[in-house]
Coordinates of all heavy atoms in Angstrom, one line a residue:
M1 N 183.8 205.9 145.0 CA 183.3 206.3 143.7 C 184.4 206.4 142.7 O 184.3 205.9 141.6 CB 182.5 207.6 143.8 CG 181.9 208.0 142.5 SD 180.5 206.9 142.1 CE 179.7 207.9 140.9
A2 N 185.5 207.0 143.1 CA 186.7 207.1 142.2 C 187.2 205.7 141.8 O 187.6 205.5 140.7 CB 187.8 207.9 142.9
D3 N 187.2 204.8 142.8 CA 187.7 203.4 142.4 C 186.8 202.8 141.4 O 187.3 202.1 140.5 CB 187.7 202.5 143.7 CG 188.9 202.9 144.6 OD1 189.8 203.7 144.2 OD2 189.0 202.3 145.7
I4 N 185.5 203.0 141.5 CA 184.6 202.4 140.5 C 184.9 203.0 139.1 O 184.9 202.2 138.1 CB 183.1 202.6 140.9 CG1 182.8 201.8 142.2 CG2 182.2 202.2 139.8 CD1 181.5 202.2 142.8
K5 N 185.1 204.3 139.0 CA 185.4 204.9 137.8 C 186.7 204.5 137.2 O 186.8 204.2 136.0 CB 185.3 206.4 137.9 CG 183.9 207.0 138.0 CD 184.0 208.5 138.0 CE 182.6 209.1 138.1 NZ 182.6 210.5 138.0
Q6 N 187.7 204.4 138.1 CA 189.1 204.0 137.7 C 189.0 202.5 137.2 O 189.6 202.2 136.2 CB 190.1 204.1 138.8 CG 190.5 205.5 139.1 CD 191.5 205.6 140.3 OE1 191.2 205.0 141.3 NE2 192.6 206.2 140.1
T7 N 188.3 201.7 137.9 CA 188.2 200.3 137.5 C 187.5 200.2 136.2 O 188.0 199.4 135.3 CB 187.4 199.5 138.6 OG1 188.0 199.6 139.8 CG2 187.3 198.0 138.2
A8 N 186.4 200.9 136.0 CA 185.7 200.8 134.7 C 186.5 201.3 133.5 O 186.5 200.7 132.5 CB 184.4 201.6 134.8
K9 N 187.3 202.4 133.8 CA 188.2 202.9 132.7 C 189.3 201.9 132.4 O 189.5 201.7 131.2 CB 188.8 204.2 133.2 CG 189.7 204.9 132.2 CD 190.3 206.2 132.7 CE 191.3 206.7 131.6 NZ 191.9 208.0 132.1
L10 N 189.9 201.3 133.4 CA 190.9 200.3 133.1 C 190.3 199.1 132.4 O 190.9 198.6 131.4 CB 191.6 199.8 134.4 CG 192.7 200.7 134.9 CD1 193.1 200.3 136.3 CD2 193.9 200.8 134.0
A11 N 189.2 198.6 132.8 CA 188.5 197.5 132.2 C 188.2 197.8 130.7 O 188.4 196.9 129.8 CB 187.2 197.1 132.9
K12 N 187.8 199.0 130.4 CA 187.5 199.4 129.0 C 188.8 199.4 128.2 O 188.8 199.0 127.1 CB 186.8 200.8 129.0 CG 186.4 201.3 127.7 CD 185.7 202.6 127.7 CE 185.3 203.0 126.3 NZ 184.6 204.3 126.3
Q13 N 189.9 200.0 128.8 CA 191.1 200.0 128.1 C 191.6 198.6 127.8 O 192.1 198.3 126.7 CB 192.2 200.7 128.9 CG 191.9 202.2 129.0 CD 192.9 202.9 129.9 OE1 193.1 202.5 131.0 NE2 193.5 204.0 129.4
I14 N 191.5 197.7 128.7 CA 191.9 196.3 128.6 C 191.0 195.6 127.5 O 191.6 195.0 126.6 CB 191.7 195.5 129.9 CG1 192.7 196.0 130.9 CG2 192.0 194.0 129.6 CD1 192.5 195.5 132.3
S15 N 189.7 195.8 127.5 CA 188.8 195.3 126.5 C 189.1 195.8 125.1 O 189.1 195.1 124.1 CB 187.4 195.6 126.9 OG 187.0 194.9 128.1
S16 N 189.4 197.1 125.0 CA 189.8 197.7 123.7 C 191.0 197.1 123.2 O 191.1 196.8 122.0 CB 189.9 199.2 123.9 OG 188.7 199.8 124.2
F17 N 192.0 196.9 124.0 CA 193.3 196.3 123.6 C 193.0 194.9 123.1 O 193.4 194.5 122.0 CB 194.3 196.2 124.8 CG 195.6 195.5 124.4 CD1 196.6 196.3 123.9 CD2 195.8 194.2 124.5 CE1 197.8 195.7 123.5 CE2 196.9 193.5 124.1 CZ 198.0 194.3 123.6
A18 N 192.2 194.1 123.8 CA 191.8 192.8 123.4 C 191.1 192.8 122.1 O 191.4 191.9 121.2 CB 191.0 192.1 124.5
E19 N 190.2 193.7 121.9 CA 189.4 193.7 120.6 C 190.4 194.1 119.4 O 190.2 193.5 118.3 CB 188.3 194.8 120.7 CG 187.2 194.4 121.6 CD 186.2 195.5 121.8 OE1 186.1 196.4 120.9 OE2 185.5 195.4 122.8
A20 N 191.3 195.0 119.7 CA 192.2 195.4 118.6 C 193.3 194.4 118.2 O 193.8 194.4 117.2 CB 192.9 196.7 119.1
H21 N 193.5 193.4 119.1 CA 194.5 192.4 118.9 C 194.0 190.9 118.9 O 194.8 190.0 119.1 CB 195.6 192.6 119.9 CG 196.3 193.9 119.8 ND1 197.2 194.3 118.8 CD2 196.1 195.1 120.6 CE1 197.5 195.5 119.0 NE2 196.8 196.0 120.0
G22 N 192.8 190.7 118.5 CA 192.3 189.4 118.4 C 192.1 188.6 119.7 O 192.1 187.4 119.7
G23 N 192.0 189.3 120.8 CA 191.9 188.7 122.1 C 193.2 189.1 122.9 O 194.2 189.6 122.3
A24 N 193.2 188.8 124.1 CA 194.3 189.1 125.0 C 194.4 188.3 126.2 O 193.3 187.8 126.7 CB 194.4 190.6 125.3
E25 N 195.5 188.2 126.8 CA 195.8 187.6 128.1 C 196.6 188.6 128.9 O 197.2 189.5 128.3 CB 196.5 186.3 127.9 CG 195.8 185.2 127.1 CD 196.6 184.0 126.8 OE1 197.2 183.5 127.8 OE2 196.6 183.5 125.7
G26 N 196.6 188.4 130.2 CA 197.3 189.3 131.0 C 197.9 188.7 132.2 O 197.7 187.6 132.6
Q27 N 198.7 189.6 132.9 CA 199.4 189.2 134.2 C 199.5 190.5 135.0 O 199.7 191.6 134.4 CB 200.8 188.6 133.9 CG 201.4 188.0 135.1 CD 202.4 188.9 135.8 OE1 203.0 189.8 135.2 NE2 202.7 188.6 137.0
I28 N 199.2 190.4 136.3 CA 199.3 191.5 137.2 C 200.5 191.4 138.0 O 200.8 190.4 138.7 CB 198.0 191.6 138.1 CG1 196.8 191.7 137.2 CG2 198.1 192.8 139.0 CD1 195.5 191.5 138.0
A29 N 201.3 192.5 138.1 CA 202.5 192.5 138.9 C 202.4 193.6 139.9 O 202.1 194.7 139.6 CB 203.7 192.7 138.0
Y30 N 202.7 193.3 141.2 CA 202.6 194.2 142.3 C 203.8 195.2 142.2 O 205.0 194.7 142.0 CB 202.6 193.5 143.6 CG 202.6 194.3 144.8 CD1 201.5 195.1 145.1 CD2 203.7 194.4 145.7 CE1 201.4 195.9 146.2 CE2 203.6 195.2 146.9 CZ 202.5 196.0 147.1 OH 202.5 196.8 148.2
L31 N 203.6 196.5 142.3 CA 204.6 197.5 142.2 C 204.9 198.2 143.5 O 205.5 199.2 143.5 CB 204.3 198.5 141.1 CG 204.1 198.1 139.7 CD1 203.6 199.2 138.8 CD2 205.4 197.5 139.1
G32 N 204.4 197.7 144.6 CA 204.6 198.3 145.9 C 203.6 199.5 146.0 O 202.5 199.4 145.6
Q33 N 204.1 200.6 146.5 CA 203.3 201.8 146.8 C 202.7 202.4 145.5 O 201.7 203.1 145.5 CB 204.0 202.8 147.5 CG 204.3 202.4 149.0 CD 205.0 203.5 149.7 OE1 205.7 204.4 149.1 NE2 204.8 203.5 151.0
M34 N 203.4 202.1 144.3 CA 203.0 202.6 143.0 C 201.7 201.9 142.5 O 201.1 202.4 141.6 CB 204.1 202.5 142.0 CG 205.3 203.4 142.3 SD 206.6 203.1 141.1 CE 205.7 203.6 139.5
G35 N 201.4 200.8 143.1 CA 200.2 200.1 142.6 C 200.5 198.7 142.0 O 201.3 197.9 142.5
A36 N 199.9 198.5 140.8 CA 200.1 197.2 140.1 C 200.2 197.5 138.6 O 199.5 198.3 138.1 CB 198.9 196.3 140.4
R37 N 201.0 196.7 137.9 CA 201.1 196.8 136.5 C 200.4 195.6 135.9 O 200.5 194.5 136.3 CB 202.6 196.6 136.1 CG 202.9 196.7 134.7 CD 204.4 196.5 134.4 NE 204.7 196.7 133.0 CZ 205.8 196.1 132.5 NH1 206.6 195.4 133.2 NH2 206.0 196.3 131.2
I38 N 199.5 196.0 134.9 CA 198.8 195.0 134.1 C 199.5 194.8 132.8 O 199.4 195.7 132.0 CB 197.3 195.4 133.9 CG1 196.6 195.7 135.3 CG2 196.5 194.3 133.2 CD1 195.3 196.4 135.1
V39 N 200.1 193.7 132.6 CA 200.8 193.4 131.3 C 199.8 192.7 130.4 O 199.2 191.7 130.8 CB 202.1 192.6 131.5 CG1 202.7 192.3 130.1 CG2 203.0 193.3 132.4
L40 N 199.6 193.2 129.2 CA 198.6 192.6 128.3 C 199.4 192.1 127.0 O 200.3 192.7 126.5 CB 197.6 193.6 127.8 CG 196.8 194.3 128.9 CD1 196.0 195.5 128.3 CD2 195.9 193.3 129.5
V41 N 199.0 190.9 126.6 CA 199.6 190.3 125.4 C 198.4 189.9 124.5 O 197.6 189.1 124.8 CB 200.5 189.1 125.7 CG1 201.1 188.5 124.4 CG2 201.6 189.4 126.7
G42 N 198.4 190.5 123.3 CA 197.4 190.2 122.3 C 197.6 188.9 121.6 O 198.8 188.4 121.6
E43 N 196.6 188.3 121.0 CA 196.8 187.1 120.3 C 197.7 187.2 119.1 O 198.2 186.3 118.6 CB 195.4 186.5 119.8 CG 194.6 186.0 120.9 CD 195.2 184.8 121.6 OE1 195.8 183.9 121.0 OE2 195.3 184.8 122.9
D44 N 197.9 188.5 118.6 CA 198.7 188.8 117.5 C 200.2 189.0 117.9 O 201.1 189.3 117.1 CB 198.2 190.0 116.7 CG 198.2 191.2 117.5 OD1 198.5 191.2 118.7 OD2 197.7 192.3 116.9
G45 N 200.5 188.9 119.2 CA 201.8 189.1 119.7 C 202.1 190.5 120.2 O 203.2 190.7 120.8
E46 N 201.3 191.4 119.9 CA 201.5 192.8 120.4 C 201.3 192.8 121.9 O 200.5 192.1 122.4 CB 200.5 193.8 119.7 CG 200.8 194.0 118.2 CD 202.1 194.7 118.0 OE1 202.5 195.6 118.7 OE2 202.8 194.2 117.0
W47 N 201.9 193.8 122.6 CA 201.8 193.8 124.0 C 201.8 195.3 124.5 O 202.2 196.2 123.8 CB 202.9 193.0 124.7 CG 204.3 193.6 124.5 CD1 205.1 193.4 123.4 CD2 205.0 194.5 125.3 NE1 206.3 194.1 123.5 CE2 206.2 194.8 124.7 CE3 204.7 195.1 126.5 CZ2 207.2 195.6 125.2 CZ3 205.7 195.9 127.1 CH2 206.9 196.2 126.5
G48 N 201.3 195.4 125.7 CA 201.2 196.7 126.3 C 201.0 196.6 127.8 O 200.9 195.5 128.3
D49 N 201.0 197.7 128.5 CA 200.7 197.6 129.9 C 200.0 198.8 130.4 O 200.0 199.8 129.7 CB 202.0 197.4 130.7 CG 203.0 198.5 130.6 OD1 202.8 199.4 129.8 OD2 204.0 198.5 131.4
L50 N 199.4 198.6 131.5 CA 198.7 199.7 132.2 C 199.1 199.6 133.7 O 199.4 198.6 134.2 CB 197.1 199.5 132.1 CG 196.5 199.4 130.7 CD1 195.1 198.8 130.8 CD2 196.5 200.9 130.2
V51 N 199.0 200.8 134.4 CA 199.3 200.8 135.8 C 198.0 201.2 136.6 O 197.4 202.2 136.2 CB 200.4 201.7 136.1 CG1 200.6 201.8 137.6 CG2 201.7 201.3 135.4
A52 N 197.7 200.4 137.6 CA 196.5 200.7 138.4 C 197.1 201.1 139.8 O 198.1 200.7 140.2 CB 195.7 199.4 138.6
P53 N 196.3 202.0 140.5 CA 196.8 202.5 141.7 C 196.9 201.5 142.9 O 197.6 201.7 143.8 CB 195.8 203.6 142.1 CG 194.6 203.3 141.3 CD 195.0 202.6 140.1
T54 N 196.1 200.4 142.7 CA 196.2 199.3 143.7 C 196.1 198.0 143.0 O 195.5 197.8 141.9 CB 195.1 199.4 144.8 OG1 193.8 199.1 144.1 CG2 195.0 200.7 145.5
Y55 N 196.6 196.9 143.7 CA 196.5 195.6 143.1 C 195.1 195.1 143.0 O 194.6 194.5 142.0 CB 197.3 194.6 144.0 CG 197.6 193.3 143.3 CD1 198.7 193.1 142.6 CD2 196.7 192.2 143.5 CE1 198.9 191.8 141.9 CE2 196.9 191.0 142.9 CZ 198.0 190.8 142.1 OH 198.3 189.6 141.5
A56 N 194.3 195.4 144.1 CA 192.9 195.1 144.1 C 192.1 195.7 142.9 O 191.3 195.0 142.3 CB 192.2 195.4 145.4
L57 N 192.4 196.9 142.6 CA 191.7 197.6 141.5 C 192.1 196.9 140.2 O 191.3 196.7 139.3 CB 192.1 199.1 141.5 CG 191.2 200.0 140.7 CD1 191.1 201.3 141.3 CD2 191.8 200.2 139.3
A58 N 193.4 196.6 140.0 CA 193.9 195.9 138.8 C 193.2 194.5 138.7 O 192.7 194.2 137.6 CB 195.4 195.7 138.9
E59 N 193.0 193.8 139.8 CA 192.3 192.5 139.7 C 190.9 192.7 139.3 O 190.4 191.9 138.4 CB 192.4 191.8 141.1 CG 193.7 191.2 141.4 CD 193.6 190.5 142.8 OE1 193.1 191.1 143.8 OE2 194.1 189.3 142.8
E60 N 190.2 193.7 139.8 CA 188.8 193.9 139.4 C 188.7 194.3 138.0 O 187.8 193.9 137.3 CB 188.2 194.9 140.4 CG 186.7 195.1 140.1 CD 185.8 193.9 140.3 OE1 186.2 193.0 141.1 OE2 184.8 193.8 139.6
A61 N 189.6 195.2 137.5 CA 189.5 195.6 136.1 C 189.7 194.5 135.2 O 189.0 194.3 134.2 CB 190.5 196.7 135.9
V62 N 190.7 193.6 135.5 CA 190.9 192.5 134.6 C 189.7 191.5 134.7 O 189.3 191.0 133.6 CB 192.2 191.7 135.1 CG1 192.4 190.4 134.4 CG2 193.4 192.6 134.8
K63 N 189.2 191.3 135.8 CA 188.0 190.5 136.0 C 186.8 191.0 135.1 O 186.2 190.3 134.4 CB 187.6 190.4 137.4 CG 186.4 189.5 137.7 CD 186.0 189.5 139.2 CE 184.7 188.8 139.4 NZ 184.4 188.9 140.9
Q64 N 186.6 192.3 135.2 CA 185.5 192.9 134.4 C 185.7 192.8 132.9 O 184.8 192.7 132.1 CB 185.3 194.4 134.8 CG 184.7 194.6 136.1 CD 184.5 196.1 136.5 OE1 184.5 197.0 135.6 NE2 184.4 196.4 137.7
S65 N 187.0 192.9 132.5 CA 187.3 192.8 131.1 C 187.1 191.4 130.5 O 186.9 191.2 129.3 CB 188.7 193.3 130.8 OG 189.7 192.3 131.2
G66 N 187.2 190.4 131.4 CA 187.0 189.0 130.9 C 188.2 188.3 130.3 O 188.0 187.2 129.7
I67 N 189.4 188.9 130.3 CA 190.5 188.2 129.7 C 191.1 187.2 130.7 O 190.8 187.2 131.9 CB 191.7 189.2 129.4 CG1 192.3 189.9 130.6 CG2 191.2 190.3 128.4 CD1 193.6 190.6 130.4
T68 N 191.9 186.3 130.1 CA 192.5 185.3 130.9 C 193.7 185.9 131.6 O 194.5 186.7 131.0 CB 193.1 184.1 130.0 OG1 192.0 183.5 129.3 CG2 193.8 183.1 130.8
V69 N 193.9 185.6 132.9 CA 195.0 186.1 133.7 C 195.9 185.0 134.1 O 195.5 183.9 134.5 CB 194.4 186.8 135.0 CG1 195.6 187.4 135.8 CG2 193.4 187.9 134.6
H70 N 197.2 185.3 134.0 CA 198.2 184.3 134.4 C 198.9 184.7 135.7 O 199.0 185.9 135.9 CB 199.3 184.2 133.3 CG 198.8 183.7 132.0 ND1 198.7 182.4 131.7 CD2 198.2 184.3 130.9 CE1 198.2 182.2 130.5 NE2 197.9 183.4 130.0
E71 N 199.3 183.8 136.5 CA 200.0 184.1 137.7 C 201.4 184.6 137.5 O 201.9 185.5 138.2 CB 200.1 182.8 138.6 CG 198.8 182.3 139.1 CD 198.2 183.2 140.2 OE1 199.0 183.7 141.0 OE2 197.0 183.5 140.2
D72 N 202.0 184.1 136.5 CA 203.4 184.5 136.1 C 203.5 184.8 134.7 O 202.7 184.4 133.8 CB 204.4 183.3 136.4 CG 204.4 182.9 137.9 OD1 204.6 183.8 138.7 OD2 204.1 181.7 138.2
F73 N 204.6 185.6 134.4 CA 204.9 186.0 133.0 C 206.0 185.1 132.5 O 207.1 185.4 132.4 CB 205.3 187.4 132.9 CG 205.2 188.0 131.5 CD1 204.1 188.5 131.0 CD2 206.4 188.0 130.8 CE1 204.0 189.0 129.7 CE2 206.4 188.5 129.5 CZ 205.2 189.0 129.0
D74 N 205.6 183.8 132.2 CA 206.6 182.9 131.7 C 205.9 181.8 130.8 O 204.7 181.9 130.5 CB 207.3 182.2 132.9 CG 206.4 181.4 133.8 OD1 205.2 181.3 133.5 OD2 206.8 181.0 134.8
G75 N 206.7 180.9 130.3 CA 206.2 179.8 129.5 C 205.5 180.2 128.2 O 206.0 181.1 127.5
D76 N 204.4 179.5 127.9 CA 203.7 179.8 126.7 C 203.2 181.2 126.6 O 203.1 181.8 125.6 CB 202.5 178.8 126.6 CG 203.0 177.4 126.3 OD1 204.1 177.2 125.8 OD2 202.2 176.4 126.6
F77 N 202.8 181.7 127.8 CA 202.3 183.1 127.8 C 203.4 184.1 127.4 O 203.2 184.9 126.5 CB 201.8 183.5 129.2 CG 201.3 184.9 129.3 CD1 200.4 185.4 128.5 CD2 201.7 185.7 130.4 CE1 199.9 186.7 128.6 CE2 201.3 186.9 130.6 CZ 200.4 187.5 129.7
A78 N 204.6 184.0 127.9 CA 205.7 184.9 127.6 C 206.1 184.7 126.1 O 206.5 185.7 125.4 CB 206.8 184.7 128.5
N79 N 206.0 183.5 125.6 CA 206.4 183.2 124.3 C 205.5 183.8 123.2 O 205.9 183.9 122.0 CB 206.5 181.7 124.0 CG 207.7 181.1 124.7 OD1 208.7 181.7 124.8 ND2 207.6 179.8 125.1
K80 N 204.3 184.3 123.6 CA 203.4 184.9 122.7 C 203.8 186.3 122.3 O 203.4 186.9 121.3 CB 202.0 185.0 123.3 CG 201.3 183.6 123.3 CD 199.9 183.8 123.9 CE 199.2 182.4 123.8 NZ 197.8 182.6 124.1
V81 N 204.7 186.9 123.1 CA 205.1 188.3 122.9 C 206.0 188.4 121.7 O 206.9 187.7 121.5 CB 205.8 188.9 124.1 CG1 206.4 190.3 123.9 CG2 205.0 188.9 125.4
R82 N 205.6 189.3 120.8 CA 206.4 189.6 119.6 C 207.2 190.9 119.9 O 206.6 191.9 120.2 CB 205.5 189.8 118.4 CG 206.3 189.9 117.1 CD 205.4 190.1 115.9 NE 204.7 191.4 116.0 CZ 203.5 191.6 115.5 NH1 202.8 190.6 115.0 NH2 202.9 192.8 115.7
T83 N 208.5 190.8 119.8 CA 209.3 192.0 120.0 C 210.0 192.4 118.7 O 210.2 191.5 117.8 CB 210.4 191.7 121.0 OG1 211.2 190.6 120.6 CG2 209.8 191.4 122.4
G84 N 210.4 193.6 118.6 CA 211.0 194.1 117.4 C 212.3 194.8 117.7 O 212.8 194.8 118.9
P85 N 212.8 195.5 116.8 CA 214.1 196.2 117.0 C 214.1 197.3 118.1 O 215.0 197.4 118.9 CB 214.4 197.0 115.6 CG 213.5 196.2 114.6 CD 212.4 195.7 115.4
Y86 N 213.0 197.9 118.3 CA 212.9 198.9 119.3 C 213.1 198.3 120.7 O 213.9 198.8 121.5 CB 211.5 199.6 119.3 CG 211.3 200.5 120.5 CD1 211.8 201.8 120.6 CD2 210.5 200.0 121.6 CE1 211.7 202.6 121.8 CE2 210.3 200.8 122.7 CZ 210.9 202.1 122.8 OH 210.7 202.8 123.9
E87 N 212.4 197.2 120.9 CA 212.5 196.5 122.2 C 213.9 196.0 122.5 O 214.4 196.1 123.6 CB 211.5 195.4 122.4 CG 210.0 195.8 122.5 CD 209.4 196.2 121.2 OE1 209.9 195.9 120.1 OE2 208.2 196.7 121.2
W88 N 214.5 195.4 121.4 CA 215.8 194.8 121.6 C 216.9 195.9 121.9 O 217.8 195.8 122.7 CB 216.2 194.0 120.4 CG 215.5 192.7 120.5 CD1 214.4 192.3 119.7 CD2 215.8 191.6 121.4 NE1 214.0 191.0 120.1 CE2 214.9 190.6 121.1 CE3 216.8 191.4 122.3 CZ2 214.9 189.4 121.8 CZ3 216.8 190.1 123.0 CH2 215.8 189.2 122.7
T89 N 216.7 197.1 121.1 CA 217.6 198.2 121.4 C 217.4 198.7 122.8 O 218.4 199.0 123.5 CB 217.4 199.3 120.3 OG1 217.6 198.8 119.0 CG2 218.3 200.5 120.6
R90 N 216.2 198.9 123.2 CA 215.9 199.4 124.5 C 216.4 198.5 125.6 O 217.0 199.0 126.6 CB 214.4 199.6 124.7 CG 214.1 200.2 126.0 CD 212.8 201.0 125.9 NE 212.3 201.3 127.2 CZ 212.7 202.3 128.0 NH1 213.6 203.1 127.5 NH2 212.2 202.6 129.2
M91 N 216.2 197.2 125.5 CA 216.7 196.3 126.5 C 218.2 196.3 126.5 O 218.8 196.3 127.6 CB 216.2 194.8 126.2 CG 214.8 194.6 126.5 SD 214.3 192.9 126.3 CE 214.0 192.8 124.5
A92 N 218.9 196.4 125.4 CA 220.4 196.4 125.4 C 220.8 197.7 126.0 O 221.8 197.7 126.7 CB 220.9 196.3 123.9
G93 N 220.1 198.8 125.7 CA 220.5 200.1 126.3 C 220.4 200.1 127.8 O 221.3 200.7 128.5
I94 N 219.4 199.5 128.3 CA 219.2 199.5 129.7 C 220.2 198.5 130.4 O 220.8 198.9 131.4 CB 217.8 199.1 130.1 CG1 216.8 200.2 129.7 CG2 217.6 198.8 131.6 CD1 215.3 199.8 129.7
Q95 N 220.4 197.4 129.9 CA 221.1 196.3 130.6 C 222.6 196.2 130.2 O 223.4 195.8 131.0 CB 220.4 195.0 130.3 CG 219.1 194.9 130.9 CD 218.4 193.6 130.9 OE1 219.1 192.6 130.5 NE2 217.2 193.5 131.2
L96 N 223.0 196.7 129.0 CA 224.3 196.5 128.6 C 225.1 197.8 128.3 O 226.1 197.8 127.7 CB 224.4 195.6 127.3 CG 223.7 194.2 127.5 CD1 223.8 193.5 126.1 CD2 224.5 193.4 128.5
G97 N 224.4 198.9 128.6 CA 225.0 200.2 128.3 C 225.0 200.6 126.8 O 225.7 201.4 126.3
G98 N 224.0 200.0 126.1 CA 223.9 200.3 124.7 C 223.2 201.6 124.5 O 223.0 202.4 125.4
P99 N 222.8 201.9 123.2 CA 222.3 203.2 122.9 C 220.9 203.4 123.6 O 220.1 202.5 123.7 CB 222.1 203.2 121.4 CG 222.0 201.7 121.0 CD 222.9 201.0 122.1
S100 N 220.6 204.7 123.9 CA 219.3 205.0 124.5 C 218.3 205.2 123.4 O 218.7 205.4 122.3 CB 219.4 206.2 125.4 OG 219.7 207.3 124.6
N101 N 217.1 205.1 123.8 CA 216.0 205.4 122.8 C 215.4 206.8 123.0 O 214.4 207.1 122.5 CB 214.9 204.4 123.0 CG 215.3 203.0 122.4 OD1 215.9 203.0 121.4 ND2 215.0 202.0 123.1
G102 N 216.1 207.6 123.8 CA 215.5 209.0 124.0 C 216.2 209.9 123.3 O 216.2 211.0 122.9

C-alpha cells in the first residue's frame, strides 16, 4: 500500500513539474541502497530531481506521469538543461575547490 501511495505522489510531482515547464523528459539513475534518482528536464530548460526508494518505484512513477524517459543523460537530452551562475559556482566549488554555496 505504501508503494502505491509513494508511486502516486512521485507521479503527481513529475506531472506537476512537466505542466509548469511546458513538458518534461527524464532519466532514472540507480543510487544503490538509497534507491533511484529521477532527473527531470523541462522544455524550458529548467531541471530538477526526485529520489525514489527503489528503481522499480521510480520506473512506475515515470510511467504513470507519461513523460519521455531516456536511458542516458547525454546528447540532445543533456543539451536541453539550462544552467545559471548558481550551478556553475556549485560545480566549481565541488570539483575545483571553489567557493561553497552554503
Side-chain angles (χ1 to χ4, degrees):
M1 184 70 165
D3 284 354
I4 293 170
K5 286 184 178 183
Q6 285 179 310
T7 302
K9 181 179 178 182
L10 280 171
K12 184 176 179 179
Q13 290 173 313
I14 295 166
S15 296
S16 293
F17 179 89
E19 288 174 25
H21 298 284
E25 299 175 44
Q27 190 260 339
I28 303 170
Y30 180 64
L31 297 175
Q33 290 182 336
M34 292 179 60
R37 178 181 186 207
I38 306 166
V39 179
L40 302 169
V41 180
E43 288 301 313
D44 61 1
E46 292 294 319
W47 65 278
D49 65 350
L50 298 164
V51 176
T54 67
Y55 194 89
L57 197 145
E59 284 182 311
E60 183 59 30
V62 168
K63 181 180 173 185
Q64 286 181 21
S65 73
I67 67 168
T68 299
V69 181
H70 297 270
E71 290 290 320
D72 298 303
F73 194 85
D74 60 7
D76 291 337
F77 178 51
N79 285 332
K80 289 184 176 187
V81 176
R82 186 178 68 211
T83 56
Y86 170 80
E87 288 83 8
W88 284 103
T89 300
R90 182 154 168 81
M91 286 186 277
I94 290 169
Q95 296 188 8
L96 303 176
S100 68
N101 286 318

